[in-house]
Amino acid sequence: MIIAEVVRSGFVESVHHGSVAVLGGQSRGDVLSPIFPRSSNKPMQTVGMLRAGLVPRDGADLALISGSHYGEPFHARRVREILDAAGLTVGDLRCPVALPIAEKDRDDWVRGGGGPERVLMNCSGKHAGMLATCAANDWPLETYLDPKHPLQVAIAEAVAELAGEPVAATGVDGCGAPVLAVSLTGLARAFQRLVEAAPGSDERRVADEMRAHPELVAGTGADDTVLMGAVPGLLAKGGAEGVVVAAVPGVGAIAIKVDDGGMRARTPVLLDELRRLGVTAPAMTELILGGGEPVGEVRAVR
């Protein structure tokens, strides 16, 4: 079903199909078949790490471990600190090398003679958390990405329990870690459980740290960071291939998958659904440019 359209100069130029699961509202499309939530799985994976024995040196580390950071200097510094506290180094990371996502920081880094590094990859926080969990258990470090590794088994159990359904498939995410398939309904259910869990529980610790430190979840100007900074109580996490999920305690949860993987459609649809649940959301327009000037937008449709 069409969930968003691209309007240029008043003319509908393109459309995006997808599905939207809404707990507390009206779902649309196929919200029961499994999808790969990609990085939207990260908060659940962090809960699995805590249950397996991860002891963060600083609570805010949980936000970075659950995030897809932009490679800003404070992100890379915290990744190194997580590893150092566990007696590890950046050489233990098995995520790919990358440059910062943040344009200014990427340009500054390259101008300074820097190149792609593992610590700059947007999933390095998650990988550092995985390694720290292994170190706490004396589990093998070299194979921590193997789905059969004790770490990944524990994470899969946590994801299934939080989603309220079995993991339907296990793949390899862009960062090399296992990615676990659940339905959009299961994804929304998991986030609602995170924000409504008892204070002090592993689930609530992850949700609270992400909401308290949204700059560690993504980065300066990023949608996740802006939304959590603007809407009290809201927990949000985007994922590749057009996935995003958000939850507000006492209100509901929303999980979205854009069928063609288009990232530009997910935020307008999420904002529209939040407003329909009565949540006051900030204006975050996905602009369409012509001659370098705004001539249209991506807008949600029902």
Side-chain angles (χ1 to χ4, degrees), residues 205-217:
R205 289 174 66 193
V206 172
D208 286 349
E209 294 295 348
M210 289 176 68
R211 292 180 291 188
H213 305 281
E215 74 284 353
L216 295 177
V217 176

Side-chain angles (χ1 to χ4, degrees), residues 41-287:
N41 270 343
K42 286 178 177 175
M44 294 183 284
Q45 291 172 311
T46 304
V47 172
M49 294 179 218
L50 288 171
R51 291 180 179 179
L54 173 65
V55 181
R57 61 176 189 93
D58 176 7
D61 288 346
L62 296 177
L64 186 72
I65 293 169
S66 304
S68 300
H69 69 76
Y70 270 31
E72 296 174 78
F74 62 93
H75 294 134
R77 181 171 59 251
R78 188 173 284 269
V79 172
R80 291 189 177 95
E81 290 170 350
I82 293 171
L83 292 168
D84 183 64
L88 305 168
T89 72
V90 294
D92 293 306
L93 294 170
R94 292 292 181 267
C95 56
V97 299
L99 291 170
I101 293 175
E103 185 175 352
K104 178 184 181 301
D105 294 287
R106 181 174 63 247
D107 292 345
D108 289 346
W109 181 257
V110 173
R111 277 195 295 265
E117 293 189 11
R118 296 183 194 277
V119 73
L120 299 174
M121 199 266 171
N122 70 325
C123 296
S124 65
K126 176 180 74 175
H127 282 249
M130 288 180 172
L131 283 165
T133 307
C134 289
N137 288 282
D138 291 323
W139 288 337
L141 300 179
E142 297 79 7
T143 57
Y144 76 94
L145 297 181
D146 187 329
K148 296 180 181 178
H149 190 285
L151 167 74
Q152 300 301 342
V153 171
I155 287 174
E157 290 174 351
V159 170
E161 188 272 320
L162 289 168
E165 62 188 49
V167 171
T170 301
V172 181
D173 213 335
C175 67
V179 58
L180 308 172
V182 296
S183 70
L184 283 175
T185 297
L187 182 60
R189 184 185 298 122
F191 269 63
Q192 188 167 47
R193 287 177 172 174
L194 290 176
V195 299
E196 296 184 350
S201 64
D202 292 336
E203 297 92 328
R204 185 64 173 271
R205 289 174 66 193
V206 172
D208 286 349
E209 294 295 348
M210 289 176 68
R211 292 180 291 188
H213 305 281
E215 74 284 353
L216 295 177
V217 176
T220 304
D223 289 356
D224 292 349
T225 298
V226 172
L227 275 172
M228 286 190 284
V231 182
L234 182 140
L235 178 70
K237 183 70 190 75
E241 294 299 315
V243 177
V244 68
V245 57
V248 179
V251 176
I254 302 160
I256 298 165
K257 165 65 176 173
V258 183
D259 287 348
D260 62 7
M263 304 294 275
R264 65 184 179 181
R266 61 183 190 169
T267 297
V269 176
L270 175 60
L271 292 174
D272 179 68
E273 295 294 343
L274 285 171
R275 292 174 184 132
R276 289 179 183 276
L277 290 180
V279 176
T280 302
M284 299 170 62
T285 306
E286 293 285 338
L287 295 174

